[in-house]
Amino acid sequence: MSDEQSFGEDFARVGRWIETYLAHPERYRVLPAVRPGDIASQLPQAAPEEGESFEAILADFERIIVPGITHWNHPRFFAYFATSAAPAAISAEALAAVLDVKVMLWRTSPSAAELESVVMRWLGKLMGLPDAWTGIIYDTASVAGFTALAAAREALGLEIRERGMSGRDLPALRIYATAHTHSHIEKAAIALGIGRENVVAVACDDEFRMDPDALERAIVADVAAGRKPMAVVATVGTTSMTSVDPVPRIAEIAKRHGVWLHVDAAYAGVAAILPEFASLLEGVEGADSLVVNPHKWMFVPMDLSVLFLRDEATVRRAFSLTPEYLSTTDGEVRNYMDYGLQLGRRFRALKFWFVLRHMGAKAIRERLRDHIALAQRFAAWVREAPEWEVLAPHPFSVVCFRFHPAGVSDDAELERVNAALLEGVNGTGEMFVSHTKIDGAYALRLAIGNLRTTHADVEAAWNILRREASKVPVS
Ligand code: PLP
C-alpha cells in the first residue's frame, strides 16, 4: 500500500474516532483520575528507532493519552474560561496542517495572508470596531498583549529599539492596570525590561472596575516624580469576575496625557457582537490597541487571539527587521512577520473562516445568549439558596460564589470549607469548576462557554455542588 493510501485509511479512522468522541464527550470524567507522573511512566524513555504502525500509535493514544486528558469538551467543564471548538474548525485545522504554510511573507502564502486580513475585517465589523483598525492574529492574548506593550514602548520615541534600555539614563517606564488585570501584563513588563515594580495597581470601585480619578492621580504623580507613563491597560471582562473598566473615561485620560491605551477584551470582547451589548466597547475608538480571543468564546479551537490596532505602523516599527534572505519585490503587501516576534506563523485564519461561515454570526450570537442566560439562572439559584452567596456582579457567563454555612463568619474557615468543596466536586469527575480570590475572599467560579452545555448540565452542577457541600465538615 502506498503512503497516500495508508494515510487515507488512517485519516478515516481518526475521523471516526473524532466523530464518536464529539458525540459524547460526557462519557469521560471531566478531570482525569491520574496522579502526577502516571502518564509519563507508561511511555518509553527514548524515541523508537524504527517506525511503528499508525494502528499501534492510535491504540496507545486511546490507552495512555485519553485517560489523562482533562476534557474541555465535556459539557460540565465550568473552570477557567470554558471553551469548545465548532466541528468545522477541527476540519479546517486538519487542512491547515496539510497545507503547512508559514504565514510570514505575503508570498509564503498569499491566500493565508489575504484571508487573514479579510476575516479580521469581518470580526472588526461584527464587534463594531472602527473600520480603519487593523486586526492581526497571534497565538494568545498574552503574546498579543506583549506585542501591544512593545508598540507602546516604541511609541515613546526613546530609541529603545536601537539603543536598548541598559547602560543609559532612562526614566522608569510605567504601566497602569488594576489588581484584577490579567497576569500576562506583568509578564510582558518583565520581558520588556519595564519591571514588575513599574506596573501600577490603580484602585478600583466596589464593583472591581478601575477608578479613573485614581488613574489620573497616579499618572500625574509619576510625571511629577520624573517617571514616564507608557501604557494604560483597561480590561473589558476581567479574568476573575468579568468586571468591565470604564473605557470612555480611561480613554480620555490616556489621551490627555499622551499614554498608549491597550484594552484587554480577551474573553468578553466577543459579547460586543450582541446588539444588547452594543455599548460594551464604548470609548475604544480612543484606544490604541484591543485584544479579543476567538479561542475563548467564539468556538475557534486553541489557538487564535486577535490584536486590533489603531495604527499598525507602530507595531511594525517595533518589530520589523528584514534580513536579505527574507527580502522580496512584492511591493505594497502585508508581510505578517513584521508584526511580532514570530517569523513562521500558523494558518490560523482558516479555522476562523470556517467557523464564521459554517455557524454564521446569528448562531454564534444565539450561543452567547444561551451561555449568558444559563449563568444568570445559576446565579439566581445561588442567590436564592440559604447558605450560598454570589460574590460579584456577573454581566456575562461567569459567576463567582461560595458556600457560606450558617454560623461561619471567619474568612479562613470559609476558605477551608470552600477549598474542600472544590476538591470534593472536582474529585467526582462529574464536573469541573475553578476558584479565585476576590479582595482576599476565596470564591468558587463557574464559567459557561461550551457549545454542548445545556440547562440540564447547569442544573446537574448545582445539584452536585449542594450534595458535596453537605459532606464538607464545618467547625
Ligand atoms: N486577558 C484576559 C482578560 C484573560 O482572562 C486571559 C486568560 O484567561 C488572558 C488575557 C490570557 O489569555 P491567553 O491564554 O490567550 O494568553
Side-chain angles (χ1 to χ4, degrees):
M1 203 186 306
S2 73
D3 272 3
E4 281 70 25
Q5 272 170 336
S6 80
F7 170 75
E9 279 179 21
D10 297 341
F11 198 62
R13 193 173 300 146
V14 169
R16 286 193 295 277
W17 190 91
I18 294 172
E19 194 181 358
T20 309
Y21 173 76
L22 289 182
H24 291 291
E26 75 284 357
R27 281 187 306 153
Y28 299 88
R29 292 174 55 93
V30 191
L31 265 182
V34 293
R35 289 179 309 274
D38 278 358
I39 307 303
S41 65
Q42 297 177 68
L43 297 165
Q45 298 289 322
E49 272 309 315
E50 305 292 336
E52 300 176 52
S53 74
F54 191 83
E55 211 166 6
I57 306 167
L58 195 58
D60 280 352
F61 168 75
E62 291 204 53
R63 186 177 63 85
I64 303 173
I65 305 301
V66 175
I69 289 292
T70 297
H71 290 279
W72 289 67
N73 284 294
H74 195 296
R76 291 197 298 277
F77 183 110
F78 297 112
Y80 313 113
F81 283 114
T83 61
S84 59
I90 297 168
S91 302
E93 280 287 61
L95 292 173
V98 171
L99 299 174
D100 197 22
V101 297
K102 285 72 185 167
V103 193
M104 50 201 218
L105 299 167
W106 175 83
R107 68 165 51 187
T108 58
S109 190
S111 292
E114 295 187 15
L115 184 65
E116 178 160 343
S117 304
V118 170
V119 171
M120 292 300 92
R121 270 202 301 280
W122 287 8
L123 177 63
K125 266 205 183 91
L126 284 172
M127 291 176 63
L129 296 174
D131 285 344
W133 283 25
T134 308
I136 310 280
I137 297 178
Y138 295 83
D139 54 358
T140 57
S142 301
V143 169
F146 163 83
T147 307
L149 291 176
R153 196 183 65 171
E154 177 63 23
L156 294 173
L158 295 172
E159 298 179 344
I160 290 170
R161 177 191 157 110
E162 299 309 323
R163 299 176 56 206
M165 294 177 78
S166 56
R168 55 188 290 220
D169 194 18
L170 280 179
L173 308 183
R174 306 283 272 180
I175 299 173
Y176 306 87
T178 77
H180 307 297
T181 304
H182 189 267
S183 54
H184 78 280
I185 295 299
E186 271 185 78
K187 278 201 186 177
I190 296 167
L192 289 165
I194 310 294
R196 290 181 70 194
E197 276 181 12
N198 289 309
V199 181
V200 181
V202 175
C204 287
D205 66 12
D206 55 9
E207 294 198 1
F208 318 107
R209 300 173 296 203
M210 184 185 281
D211 172 357
D213 295 327
L215 168 66
E216 188 148 37
R217 283 196 299 276
I219 293 175
V220 169
D222 275 347
V223 172
R227 297 184 279 258
K228 181 86 181 154
M230 184 185 101
V232 179
V233 179
T235 307
V236 172
T238 54
T239 310
S240 280
M241 72 293 276
T242 71
S243 54
V244 176
D245 289 333
V247 175
R249 287 228 30 228
I250 294 170
E252 265 170 47
I253 294 165
K255 185 166 183 210
R256 191 157 49 245
H257 295 275
V259 184
W260 184 284
L261 172 57
H262 176 63
V263 177
D264 179 357
Y267 154 70
V270 169
I273 74 169
L274 298 171
E276 57 271 37
F277 280 96
S279 61
L280 183 65
L281 297 182
E282 242 169 37
V284 295
E285 61 284 355
D288 296 280
S289 53
L290 174 144
V291 70
V292 61
N293 271 5
H295 72 217
K296 274 195 166 53
W297 202 15
M298 223 171 173
F299 316 118
V300 176
M302 190 70 186
D303 45 16
L304 196 155
S305 177
V306 176
L307 181 64
F308 281 102
L309 296 159
R310 180 145 61 100
D311 174 17
E312 60 176 299
T314 319
V315 172
R316 263 204 321 269
R317 264 207 321 278
F319 285 103
S320 90
L321 189 69
T322 309
E324 184 53 36
Y325 45 84
L326 293 172
S327 65
T328 72
T329 51
D330 292 334
E332 288 297 303
V333 293
R334 183 176 287 131
N335 292 317
Y336 279 94
M337 69 169 191
D338 291 340
Y339 295 80
L341 281 179
Q342 252 186 295
L343 171 59
R345 298 161 71 252
R346 275 163 33 73
F347 187 2
R348 295 192 179 89
L350 191 67
K351 59 185 168 182
F352 198 15
W353 188 52
F354 270 56
V355 171
L356 290 172
R357 290 192 59 187
H358 197 249
M359 286 188 79
K362 207 163 134 197
I364 295 174
R365 285 194 196 95
E366 278 163 15
R367 298 326 311 262
L368 299 187
R369 283 195 183 107
D370 286 349
H371 292 159
I372 295 167
L374 288 174
Q376 302 312 313
R377 203 166 306 150
F378 177 82
W381 294 337
V382 172
R383 197 171 289 110
E384 283 159 19
E387 304 202 311
W388 290 83
E389 58 194 358
V390 171
L391 293 177
H394 40 84
F396 306 105
S397 66
V398 173
V399 183
C400 292
F401 64 102
R402 70 179 169 188
F403 176 44
H404 192 154
V408 179
S409 55
D410 178 56
D411 276 349
E413 176 63 0
L414 280 172
E415 176 165 343
R416 190 197 61 74
V417 165
N418 281 279
L421 173 56
L422 184 84
E423 287 300 304
V425 162
N426 291 339
T428 66
E430 296 173 67
M431 64 179 280
F432 182 23
V433 281
S434 52
H435 81 285
T436 189
K437 280 199 176 169
I438 300 184
D439 287 346
Y442 188 97
L444 303 178
R445 188 177 163 288
L446 180 126
I448 299 173
N450 184 314
L451 285 167
R452 294 178 193 82
T453 300
T454 63
H455 179 274
D457 293 306
V458 181
E459 198 170 36
W462 180 222
N463 290 334
I464 295 164
L465 279 158
R466 286 182 298 169
R467 185 189 75 208
E468 295 302 315
S470 71
K471 299 179 189 166
V472 176
V474 177
S475 53

